[in-house]
């Protein structure tokens, strides 16, 4: 007789996908073990709320130890993790891989932008013949977006609600929290975009504006990237993992670096093996089902490193597409100095973390008429205002007529808040040159083979980046300003490196065809029915609308399916 | 100007002492020949954010610190109620910055320390007294030379020193007060800009035709 196993499901990872999977499965009464590669982390106790930059080493600037600044929530992570290298194919372009090592993963410092993918986004191949269609439609995912937004708490409603823009779905009434008032520079930027015929929408952000589920409403101070001790900003560590733990059905083990899915004799996954980061011990745990949610590339790495006689190229990889169709977001930015903002009276521009407005893609008509040299859209994110000064404040002196001494203080005051920042975030088409594979020459400090990334932007993306820059330059010009950064319009120079926008998705895409995809529309691997992937790896395309909300909606849907199948005895 | 006295808090000072002691135990003797001993690492990838420390030794000499203090106050003179940079510890911040083990501050280390030594020597040559002692007019004259002559070898020194002075100053509560940063206070509702400020913007936007 088989030993009864204490866990129904093992979840690898605790970020957006893993956190949501644990929440759903534990609430449904399944016994869940969550394995997180990093340390335990409690935003309520560790977040530097209100701390000013002069209290931090080097005024809080970025260093190799803390690449997004001293107060950034990321623990033991960044573009490099000590002892855990990855490589880029020297013949291609560099790919950058951001990894944290902490409970909650990247939800602890994420940008919180929570846009729904639109109806076009699920059928891109049908529209323009590029990439692949999703095996689901917007209508199928819409109810899961609703439920996800209700739990996460998403702002984007209120007086600006109901913009009804093409391929930019709204939420049903009552779900979104009201958007805070626009900041001064946002009023100006909106007017500038509207003068170009480009509509502006309220930002949809995972920052709550009214108390809910033991979380306080945003109090409009302290940057969200530090984490949020009052739980207004969504982190799985404050919103999803605690209620899952309260059910008594979830156990969390941190510092557990999973490296293989272990297969049983009946073509079922029997569990996973991990290395305890402190002791170096290898430990094997078993369950009736396994969910990988370690992040797109890490989940692929685990699959590729899980080699068996039946799966010599890695478990669930009979299609040969694990690691393939890796995508990031197209990014390009400019900054400008706007004289009409000079000398405006002081005001509190903190607001909620991030902008209160954004600019959804407006060029569907132009693309339909064949007027643009790239097929997919981008949205624009904006920044500026009289924010808490960091070291960059010194750059205001570049606009000063007084280099030093008497009069410089007045110039600094006059220029403060007159700089604006514009960033484009666009859709990349999956291509054959962008993928991850196991590097046969290199292992990390645990002895686990590492990933080698291959990357090459195509003309679609490069042309799109150039268009972003031209749009920004036109806007800054209309506002009477000068472009201070991002002055070039060469798309190849403008485009951010692969991975740099930290929206890497793909590597185990969902599909309707077992030969060209790794998982079905539920995130269940075609090859192994009790093995699921529920993170960014399963996205078959990467629309401009930042992926986290969709990762959570797909995880909620996939985990619900998993629970139903488990109850029916189908796994 | 009275000599500058470091405004380092006790916790940071103790941290340096222990870091320096640890370095002395392990550093090879040859390192002692330098004017400073640099700690090998920074604050690490998981520092205590609620009790921050910058655990590396400070490398500026007392003389360099005095020259730096005078320079910060020439760049941003006291204007009551707004204190001079030396009154709120900005020279110590510049010392922290140039002493840091991180590579992005290494360029500044050379530019700033060489520049401080140069301007002090240049003051002695031109005015027969070091930069801290040569008098306000001479101090301003020398600063103006490197500020305006962009071809000067030491214009880069001026540029970087001013960046560190202004960045160090305006990141403090005193700097917030001066420049007009009104945030970092919790509020129940976010009001956005007041009506009269919005009206000012409207007027300006109308003028440029948007």
């Amino acid at each position: 007789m088989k030993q009864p196993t204490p866990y129904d499901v093992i979840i690898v990872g605790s970020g957006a996908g893993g956190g949501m999977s644990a929440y759903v499965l534990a609430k449904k009464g399944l016994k869940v073990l969550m394995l997180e590669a990093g340390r335990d982390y409690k935003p309520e106790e560790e977040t530097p709320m209100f701390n000013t930059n002069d209290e931090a080493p080097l005024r809080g600037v970025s260093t190799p130890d803390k690449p997004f600044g001293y107060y950034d929530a990321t623990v033991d992570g960044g573009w490099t993790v000590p002892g855990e290298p990855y490589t880029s194919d020297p013949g291609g372009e560099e790919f950058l891989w951001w990894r944290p090592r902490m409970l909650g993963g990247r939800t602890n410092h994420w940008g919180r932008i929570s846009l729904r993918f639109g109806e076009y986004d699920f059928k891109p191949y049908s529209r323009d013949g590029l990439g692949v269609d999703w095996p689901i439609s917007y209508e199928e995912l819409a109810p899961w977006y609703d439920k996800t937004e209700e739990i996460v708490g998403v702002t984007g409603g209120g007086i600006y609600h109901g913009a009804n823009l093409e391929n930019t779905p709204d939420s049903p009434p009552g779900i979104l929290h009201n958007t805070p008032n626009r900041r001064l520079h946002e009023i100006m930027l909106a007017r500038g975009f509207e003068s170009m015929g480009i509509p502006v929408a309220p930002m949809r952000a995972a920052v709550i504006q009214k108390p809910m589920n033991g979380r306080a409403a945003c109090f409009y101070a302290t940057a969200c990237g530090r984490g949020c001790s009052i739980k207004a900003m969504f982190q799985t560590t404050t919103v999803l993992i605690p209620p899952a733990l309260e059910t008594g059905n979830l156990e969390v083990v941190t510092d557990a670096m999973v490296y293989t899915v272990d297969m049983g004799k009946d073509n079922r996954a029997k569990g996973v093996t991990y290395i305890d980061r402190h002791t170096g011990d290898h430990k094997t745990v078993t369950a009736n089902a396994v969910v990988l949610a370690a992040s797109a590339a890490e989940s692929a790495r685990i699959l590729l490193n899980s080699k068996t006689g039946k799966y010599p190229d890695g478990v669930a990889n009979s299609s040969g597409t694990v690691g393939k169709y890796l995508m990031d977001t197209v990014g390009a930015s400019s900054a400008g100095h706007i004289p009409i903002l000079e000398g405006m009276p002081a005001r509190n521009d903190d607001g909620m973390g991030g902008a209160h407005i954004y600019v959804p893609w407006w060029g569907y008509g132009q693309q339909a008429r064949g007027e643009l040299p790239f097929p997919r859209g981008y949205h624009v994110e904006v920044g500026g205002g009289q924010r808490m000064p960091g070291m960059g404040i010194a750059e205001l002196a570049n606009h000063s007529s007084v280099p030093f001494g008497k009069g410089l203080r007045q110039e600094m005051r006059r220029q403060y808040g007159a700089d604006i920042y514009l960033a484009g975030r666009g859709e990349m088409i999956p291509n054959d040159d962008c993928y991850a594979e196991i590097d046969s020459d290199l292992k990390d400090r645990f002895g686990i083979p590492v990933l080698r990334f291959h990357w090459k932007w195509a003309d679609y993306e490069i042309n799109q980046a150039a268009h972003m820059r031209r749009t920004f330059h036109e806007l800054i010009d209309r506002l009477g300003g000068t472009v201070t950064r991002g002055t070039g319009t060469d798309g190849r120079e403008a485009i951010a490196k692969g991975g740099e926008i930290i929206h890497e998705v793909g590597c185990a895409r969902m599909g309707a065809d077992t030969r060209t995809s790794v998982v079905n529309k539920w995130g269940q691997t075609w090859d192994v029915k009790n093995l699921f992937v529920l993170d960014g790896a399963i996205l078959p395309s990467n629309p401009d609308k930042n992926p986290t909300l969709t990762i959570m909606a797909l995880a909620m849907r996939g985990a619900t399916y998993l629970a139903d199948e488990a109850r029916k005895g189908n796994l | 100007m009275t000599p500058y006295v470091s405004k380092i808090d006790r916790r940071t000072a103790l941290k340096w002492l222990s870091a320096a002691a640890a370095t002395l135990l392990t550093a090879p003797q040859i390192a002692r020949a330098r004017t400073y001993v640099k700690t090998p690492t920074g604050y690490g990838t998981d520092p205590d954010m609620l009790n921050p420390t910058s655990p590396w030794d400070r490398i500026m000499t007392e003389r360099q610190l005095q020259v730096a203090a005078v320079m910060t106050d020439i760049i941003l003179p006291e204007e009551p109620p707004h204190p001079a940079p030396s009154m709120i510890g900005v020279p110590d911040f510049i010392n922290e910055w140039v002493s840091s083990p991180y590579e992005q501050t290494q360029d500044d280390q050379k530019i700033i320390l060489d520049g401080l030594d140069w301007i002090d020597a240049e003051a002695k040559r031109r005015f027969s007294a070091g930069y801290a002692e040569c008098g306000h007019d001479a101090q301003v004259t020398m600063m103006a030379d490197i500020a305006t002559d962009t071809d000067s070898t030491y214009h880069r020194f001026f540029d970087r020193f001013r960046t560190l002075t202004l960045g160090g100053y305006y990141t403090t509560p005193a700097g917030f007060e001066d420049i007009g940063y009104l945030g970092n206070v919790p509020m129940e509702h976010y009001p956005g800009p007041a009506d009269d400020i919005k009206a000012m913007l409207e007027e300006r936007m109308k003028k440029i035709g948007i």
Side-chain angles (χ1 to χ4, degrees):
Chain A
M1 209 181 89
K2 254 175 76 176
Q3 279 294 108
T5 149
Y7 302 114
D8 294 312
V9 185
I10 292 167
I11 299 172
V12 182
S14 61
M20 182 59 85
S21 300
Y23 177 88
V24 169
L25 294 169
K27 288 253 180 189
K28 284 184 176 291
L30 280 78
K31 298 290 177 192
V32 179
L33 172 66
M34 172 184 272
L35 299 173
E36 162 54 45
R39 74 159 167 88
D40 193 13
Y41 164 70
K42 291 188 177 65
E44 301 94 313
E45 295 168 14
E46 300 187 39
T47 308
M49 304 295 280
F50 300 108
N51 298 40
T52 52
N53 286 319
D54 66 321
E55 298 171 67
L58 306 174
R59 287 335 198 223
V61 299
S62 297
T63 67
D65 282 340
K66 296 282 288 189
F68 281 4
Y70 189 78
Y71 289 132
D72 178 66
T74 303
V75 170
D76 289 332
W79 303 116
T80 60
V81 175
E84 299 184 43
Y86 58 91
T87 60
S88 282
D89 169 27
E93 296 166 25
E94 189 183 10
F95 181 84
L96 296 169
W97 190 20
W98 183 281
R99 293 165 293 172
R101 288 289 176 256
M102 66 196 302
L103 193 67
R106 286 178 285 185
T107 66
N108 295 310
H109 93 281
W110 68 310
R112 306 163 301 283
I113 294 178
S114 301
L115 311 175
R116 293 183 176 206
F117 293 0
E119 62 178 297
Y120 301 171
D121 297 324
F122 292 90
K123 303 297 168 193
Y125 177 79
S126 297
R127 281 180 52 80
D128 59 24
L130 298 168
V132 290
D133 285 346
W134 291 50
I136 56 172
S137 65
Y138 174 71
E139 286 68 31
E140 281 175 87
L141 198 57
W144 302 96
Y145 274 133
D146 295 353
K147 289 184 198 132
T148 298
E149 288 169 2
E150 280 169 345
I151 294 167
V152 167
V154 176
T155 288
I159 53 169
Y160 311 112
H161 190 55
N164 274 329
L165 298 169
E166 191 173 6
N167 194 36
T168 304
D170 225 326
S171 304
I175 290 183
L176 298 180
H177 296 211
N178 288 351
T179 308
N181 291 318
R182 292 177 181 182
R183 302 174 176 97
L184 194 68
H185 67 281
E186 292 171 341
I187 294 171
M188 180 200 71
L189 289 169
R191 190 71 58 79
F193 276 110
E194 282 154 8
S195 79
M196 294 166 70
I198 300 172
V200 172
M203 177 54 86
R204 293 171 51 107
V207 180
I208 61 174
Q209 309 296 317
K210 55 190 180 192
M212 57 182 276
N213 304 335
R215 301 162 63 191
C218 180
F219 57 35
Y220 314 110
T222 300
C224 298
R226 300 177 176 197
C228 189
S229 72
I230 65 166
K231 311 179 194 179
M233 186 270 276
F234 173 87
Q235 302 170 259
T236 61
T237 35
T238 52
V239 180
L240 294 179
I241 295 172
L245 285 169
E246 272 172 31
T247 65
N249 294 324
L250 173 65
E251 187 181 336
V252 177
V253 175
T254 51
D255 296 300
M257 184 76 194
V258 173
Y259 64 97
T260 59
V261 174
D262 303 318
M263 292 297 292
K265 288 198 177 97
D266 48 357
N267 194 42
R268 293 172 77 254
K270 67 177 181 189
V272 302
T273 301
Y274 67 89
I275 294 172
D276 181 314
R277 291 169 67 89
H278 290 311
T279 64
D281 292 344
H282 295 241
K283 293 181 181 169
T284 295
V285 283
T286 59
N288 289 325
V290 172
V291 172
L292 297 183
S295 86
E298 192 70 44
S299 289
R301 181 186 178 201
I302 293 167
L303 290 174
L304 292 169
N305 276 327
S306 305
K307 294 184 172 150
T308 69
K310 183 171 161 65
Y311 299 107
D313 301 319
V315 161
N317 193 21
S318 65
S319 67
T321 61
V322 172
K324 300 285 166 54
Y325 311 114
L326 172 66
M327 294 163 278
D328 188 29
T329 291
V330 181
S333 61
S334 291
H337 186 75
I338 313 292
I340 65 167
L341 290 175
E342 288 179 10
M344 292 295 284
R347 64 277 170 188
N348 182 342
D349 278 342
D350 274 8
M352 70 169 176
H356 296 178
I357 59 168
Y358 85 107
V359 182
W361 175 237
W362 60 92
Y364 296 104
Q366 281 178 288
Q367 282 171 331
R369 294 190 296 274
E371 294 169 7
L372 295 178
F374 56 94
R376 305 278 172 82
Y378 63 88
H379 71 263
V380 182
E381 301 173 9
V382 306
Q386 297 186 329
R387 311 305 290 274
M388 182 189 278
M391 282 302 285
I393 196 81
E395 289 175 27
L396 296 181
N398 298 338
H399 307 295
S400 169
S401 54
V402 182
F404 70 92
K406 195 169 162 49
L408 181 55
R409 285 176 191 271
Q410 286 80 352
E411 280 290 288
M412 293 292 286
R413 264 173 239 148
R414 196 163 73 81
Q415 305 292 348
Y416 178 47
D419 287 315
I420 56 111
Y421 175 80
L422 303 159
R425 294 289 180 260
E427 176 168 0
M428 168 192 178
I429 310 289
N431 70 56
D432 291 339
D433 296 318
C434 296
Y435 61 98
E437 63 179 352
I438 297 298
D439 187 322
S440 52
D441 297 329
L442 192 63
K443 293 182 167 121
D444 67 13
R445 70 183 171 100
F446 308 109
I448 310 168
V450 308
L451 285 179
R452 181 196 294 142
F453 290 98
H454 298 255
W455 194 263
K456 189 171 184 291
W457 290 116
D459 285 345
Y460 298 134
E461 289 81 38
I462 291 164
N463 292 342
Q464 191 189 52
H467 190 272
M468 291 174 182
R469 282 275 179 86
R470 286 195 296 272
T471 303
F472 303 155
H473 297 174
E474 182 184 341
L475 178 79
I476 291 167
D477 186 56
R478 276 170 181 262
L479 296 171
T482 51
V483 181
T484 52
R485 275 202 202 139
T487 52
T489 52
D490 174 356
R492 188 161 280 288
E493 172 271 322
I495 197 166
K497 287 178 181 171
E500 205 174 354
I501 308 300
I502 322 184
H503 291 168
E504 80 282 359
V505 298
C507 294
R509 71 181 181 185
M510 62 161 62
D513 185 338
T514 60
R515 292 164 304 175
T516 57
S517 58
V518 178
V519 301
N520 65 15
K521 65 178 181 175
W522 310 107
Q524 181 181 33
T525 65
W526 290 117
D527 294 342
V528 181
K529 64 183 178 181
N530 70 336
L531 174 61
F532 285 67
V533 183
L534 293 175
D535 60 20
I538 63 179
L539 271 63
S541 72
N542 191 18
D544 72 274
K545 307 169 180 88
N546 308 20
T548 305
L549 182 74
T550 299
I551 290 170
M552 288 194 278
L554 289 171
M556 184 191 264
R557 182 173 174 274
T560 303
Y561 175 82
L562 190 164
D564 290 346
E565 289 294 287
R567 198 183 60 241
K568 292 178 200 159
N570 289 346
L571 297 182
Chain B
M1 183 174 161
T2 51
Y4 179 68
V5 180
S6 285
K7 286 153 186 69
I8 299 301
D9 63 275
R10 188 170 168 277
R11 190 180 67 216
T12 305
L14 287 173
K15 186 84 183 178
W16 295 346
L17 282 176
S18 60
T23 311
L24 284 181
L25 288 175
T26 55
Q29 280 303 306
I30 194 160
R32 302 293 303 134
R34 304 283 298 272
T35 54
Y36 61 92
V37 178
K38 198 169 60 168
T39 53
T41 55
Y43 47 68
T45 55
D46 188 12
D48 180 352
M49 286 196 274
L50 301 182
N51 298 288
T53 48
S54 42
W56 48 87
D57 292 344
R58 288 354 186 213
I59 64 173
M60 275 167 69
T61 62
E62 180 58 26
R63 183 70 204 167
Q64 287 166 338
L65 192 65
Q66 293 303 325
V67 173
V70 173
M71 282 186 65
T72 59
D73 293 2
I74 297 285
I75 289 171
L76 212 59
E78 181 186 3
E79 203 174 282
H82 306 299
S86 72
M87 296 162 75
I88 57 168
V90 173
D92 291 318
F93 159 67
I94 295 174
N95 193 6
E96 176 199 345
W97 182 278
V98 300
S99 305
S100 126
Y102 298 110
E103 57 189 54
Q104 65 265 55
T105 62
Q106 298 296 298
D107 286 349
D108 283 334
Q109 183 181 107
K110 182 161 174 50
I111 293 167
I112 300 295
L113 297 188
D114 287 357
L116 291 170
D117 291 346
W118 168 80
I119 204 167
D120 202 22
E122 186 70 2
K124 281 179 191 143
R125 192 181 67 79
R126 284 173 63 180
F127 302 105
S128 306
Y131 191 77
E133 296 83 20
C134 66
H136 186 259
D137 290 349
Q139 288 162 350
V140 171
T141 300
M142 292 184 65
M143 184 79 82
D145 288 347
I146 55 173
T148 50
D149 180 3
T150 51
D151 293 333
S152 159
T153 317
Y154 291 96
H155 178 67
R156 179 86 183 127
F157 163 58
F158 168 78
D159 186 54
R160 290 306 303 161
F161 193 89
R162 184 179 68 170
T163 293
L164 296 179
T165 300
L166 297 178
Y169 187 84
Y170 288 107
T171 46
T172 64
F176 297 167
E177 184 86 23
D178 183 1
I179 206 162
Y181 172 61
L182 301 181
N184 207 33
V185 288
M187 44 178 66
E188 200 171 336
H189 300 288
Y190 179 68
D195 287 346
D196 58 331
I197 300 180
K198 283 193 279 195
M200 268 179 85
L201 178 68
E202 284 296 335
E203 206 170 294
R204 292 178 178 199
M205 290 194 295
K206 198 179 284 176
K207 269 190 195 151
I208 62 165
I210 61 160

